[in-house]
Each structure stands twice: as C-alpha cells, then as structure tokens.
Amino acid sequence: MSPATRPAPSWARPWRWLPEGTLVPLVAVLASAVVLATGALSPDAAGDLLGRTWSVLVFLLAAAVLASLAGVAGVFEVAAVWAARHGAGRTWRLWLLVVGIATAATVALSLDTTAVLLTPVVLALARRARMHAGAAALLALTCAWLANTASLLLPVSNLTNLLALDALEGGPAGGGVLAFAALTWRPALASVVATAVVLALLHLPALRTRYDQPGPAEVADPVLLRVAAAVVVLVLPALAVGLEPWAVASAAALVLVAATAWRRRDALRWDLVPLPLAVSVLGLFVVVEALNQHGLTPALAAVAGTGDSFGDLLRLAATSAGAANAVDNLPAYLALQPLLDPSDPLRTAAVLVGVNAGPLITPWGSLAVLLWARACRAEGVPVQWGRFALKGLVLVPVVLVAAVAALAL
C-alpha cells in the first residue's frame, strides 16, 4: 500500500469512534445548544432566524434528493461518457466538455451536485478510459474548483445566493431569479473563465495527453433516465417564471421520488435526505447569529470598508474570501450580511464573489470541498491538502480580481 493511500493512523483520528459524516453535525448541535442555553441568542431571535432561513434548509434537502436521484437514473454517467466520446481521445477536448458539464451542474443543481455526484462519475470515467494520472487529477480539481467558482449565477447554485436573494428584495435590482442573474452574470462568467484559464496553465502537460475511448454508458433503466433528464432540464424554466427555488426543488424531487419508486424502488433510501448536512447548516446559522448580536458586525465593518469603486468592491470580496477560508462560506456570509444594504446590490454581489469563489484554500472553506474530498477518497484518489492550498492561492486572487472587475463594469 502506497503512502498516498495508506489509512491515517488512529491517533490522527481522535473522533474515529463516531460514524462517518457525524462529527460536523455533532459539533454544530453542541455549539448551537450552548448558544441557546446560555442566552447568547434569545428564543425570539432564534425564531426570527428560523423564519428567515427555513426556505434555504428546505431547498438544501430537496435539491440533494433531486440530484441524488438524477445520479441514480444515470444522468451524470451519460453526460460524462458523452463528453469522453466527443473528446475523441484528446484530453484537452474532454476537459473542456467537463468544464461545461460541471458549470451547468453547479448552476442548475447547486455546487454540492458537482462535488458529490459529478466527481465520482468523472473519476470512474478516467479510470475506465485509462487516462494519464495527471489528467485524472485535473478532472478532479476541475470539479472541486467549478463547484465553487461557477456558483454565482443563480440563487439555486449556492445556499449563500438564496440568503442573498431575500436580502436583495426591495432594492433597485429587485427580487426574483431573473433580477439576481442580471446582477451576477458578468462576475459569474468571469469567474468560470478565470478558473478554466488557471486550470489550463497549471496542467498544460496533462492537457496534451490522450485517453482510450470508453464504451457506451451503462443505463439500467432508459425510461427513468429520460424522466430524470426532463425534470432536470425543466428546473431552470420553472425558476425563470418566478417560482420560489425551494418550491421548484421540492416539486422536482417529489416527481423523481415517484418515478424512482415506480421504476427502481430499491434505490430509495433514507440517506438520500442529507439531514446531518441540514443540521450542520442550521447550527452554523445559530452560532453566527449570536456572534453578530455580540459585536462581530462592527469588527467586520472596519475591515470590509465602504464604497462601490473597483478597489472598494475588491476589498470587500477579499474580506469575504478570507472569512470563508477561516470559518466556512455560509457563516462567513451570515456574518457579513448585516453590513449589506438592499439599495447597494453591488456590495452584496461582491460578498458573494468572495464567499462563493474564494473558499478554495482551506479544506473547510466550503462544505462542497469537504464533500468533494470524500468523493475522491471513495474512488481511491487521495487529496493532498498542501498542494490543494497552494493551487488555491494561485486561483483565488485571479478569480476575485476578474469577477470584481466584471462586476464593477
């Protein structure tokens, strides 16, 4: 067994007695319980917080079920094999197609979809096509980076966007999905392009390699595949007509649950509903709300600055990215939200640039990165966090400057 794949020693895993995936929810529950028990957050304030965030939590659960059942139906497998066959054995062509698929999955189905569901499919495809190790690593990193940097365009692309959507209502940009996209499409496009350029420059040798053409995708149930693909495609038009994201995701998930029960009942499991993740998010909300009420907001205001010039927006985006890498992007956004004014949507967008595209240096900067790392390990691909951080230090400044420049236009 190589050092890269050898399991960590027991002393390096002091929480090894906990079932996998329960450490973060447990910490979140304990921290929020302490906050409520000590009165750091009053029951009334906690109730107000739940009233402001329940739709985000419902969307999180529904979107996860929707994406998981789309994966069960083979949507991502078919997309990946289609990309490989149209790549014609050239890694650079396949990579460009994966960039497109990862961007579309992130935009339409949220960043967790790309991190959790597309990553293992792409890595399995790389193994099947006997791709060069460097090319497989490039595809894996592409999924991790675009899961975050491509999550600026729509409210459903990232939970932070859903929180910002409510904050923007009443401002000059207006509320709703189309108004949100009108505000974010320039930085969203710049962020994706900058990510692709940095990836290409860092992995030029891998892009010159070739791979074997894989066989056709193995689809267990073509009918279920067609239903799932249709549901996924219809999500965006449903959002565009002004329906609430949580309602769209819930309805789409229910349709796929019914279709899966009809065609593949054995694929329906309770663990499709990510309750531990929802508990973690709710716990983070409670803790950060308490911190905001006890002095965090003024401290951040001094660092974040004011104004709408390119330099002012870049300072705010950099502050947001730093906070996200320090404590995770969701609590970072909640900590900065009290500083934002609906009448100044550019500053809200700058914060989203920082917390969405910026948390790619530390492993905990984004929950999607942790989920991506778990997916990589499940496929036998080790994640070297030192190298991940160094590459992130190259990417993040480039993306922030590009996205904020596009926003300032």
Side-chain angles (χ1 to χ4, degrees):
M1 182 179 296
S2 69
T5 57
R6 185 180 298 124
S10 59
W11 54 264
R13 294 176 289 115
W15 49 80
R16 61 190 179 280
W17 50 273
L18 288 172
E20 184 178 9
T22 60
L23 175 63
V24 174
L26 179 61
V27 172
V29 168
L30 292 176
S32 56
V34 169
V35 165
L36 295 173
T38 58
L41 187 68
S42 68
D44 288 343
D48 178 66
L49 173 67
L50 187 60
R52 288 186 283 116
T53 59
W54 69 267
S55 59
V56 175
L57 297 172
V58 171
F59 172 81
L60 170 65
L61 296 172
V65 172
L66 169 64
S68 295
L69 291 180
V72 167
V75 170
F76 303 109
E77 167 77 6
V78 169
V81 171
W82 173 87
R85 295 177 75 82
H86 282 76
R90 294 176 174 84
T91 297
W92 68 268
R93 290 180 59 174
L94 169 59
W95 172 72
L96 285 175
L97 291 170
V98 170
V99 166
I101 293 170
T103 299
T106 300
V107 167
L109 294 173
S110 88
L111 73 170
D112 293 338
T113 299
T114 302
V116 178
L117 298 174
L118 184 60
T119 299
V121 168
V122 166
L123 291 177
L125 175 67
R127 186 169 56 250
R128 222 163 69 204
R130 293 189 288 185
M131 296 186 72
H132 184 274
L138 166 61
L139 294 183
L141 190 61
T142 298
C143 291
W145 281 6
L146 285 173
N148 290 272
T149 62
S151 67
L152 282 165
L153 182 61
L154 296 179
V156 297
S157 307
N158 199 317
L159 294 183
T160 55
N161 297 354
L162 286 174
L163 293 168
L165 182 65
D166 292 334
L168 288 168
E169 288 187 357
V177 173
L178 294 180
F180 187 95
L183 173 66
T184 61
W185 75 266
R186 291 181 182 86
L189 178 61
S191 181
V192 170
V193 171
T195 302
V197 169
V198 173
L199 279 167
L201 292 176
L202 290 177
H203 298 87
L204 280 176
L207 289 173
R208 297 191 182 104
T209 62
R210 298 182 66 89
Y211 61 90
D212 296 340
Q213 286 279 36
E218 297 178 3
V219 178
D221 190 327
V223 174
L224 183 59
L225 172 65
R226 286 193 288 270
V227 171
V231 169
V232 169
V233 169
L234 290 174
V235 164
L236 289 181
L239 292 170
V241 299
L243 298 177
E244 292 286 344
W246 69 267
V248 172
S250 298
L254 288 174
V255 170
L256 272 194
V257 166
T260 306
W262 171 43
R263 304 293 300 187
R264 289 190 58 188
R265 183 180 294 271
D266 61 302
L268 293 178
R269 308 180 311 275
W270 282 111
D271 60 4
L272 291 173
V273 183
L275 288 177
L277 182 59
V279 168
S280 301
V281 171
L282 182 58
L284 290 173
F285 286 172
V286 170
V287 172
V288 174
E289 184 72 8
L291 292 173
N292 283 343
Q293 295 190 11
H294 290 82
L296 181 60
T297 299
L300 286 174
V303 180
T306 59
D308 285 341
S309 69
F310 170 74
D312 294 328
L313 295 176
L314 184 59
R315 175 181 176 180
L316 180 57
T319 300
S320 306
N325 279 290
V327 298
D328 185 79
N329 65 334
L330 271 174
Y333 175 81
L334 287 175
L336 288 157
Q337 190 176 45
L339 306 178
L340 303 177
D341 187 339
S343 65
D344 193 355
L346 288 181
R347 288 185 65 80
T348 298
V351 169
L352 291 178
V353 168
V355 298
N356 288 13
L360 286 169
I361 299 172
T362 60
W364 54 83
S366 164
L367 288 175
V369 171
L370 293 174
L371 295 172
W372 165 81
R374 183 188 300 178
C376 287
R377 289 194 298 269
E379 292 296 322
V381 177
V383 177
Q384 298 175 325
W385 289 116
R387 183 172 296 180
F388 182 89
L390 288 174
K391 290 183 177 181
L393 285 169
V394 175
L395 171 74
V396 170
V398 175
V399 168
L400 294 187
V401 170
V404 171
L407 179 63
L409 291 176

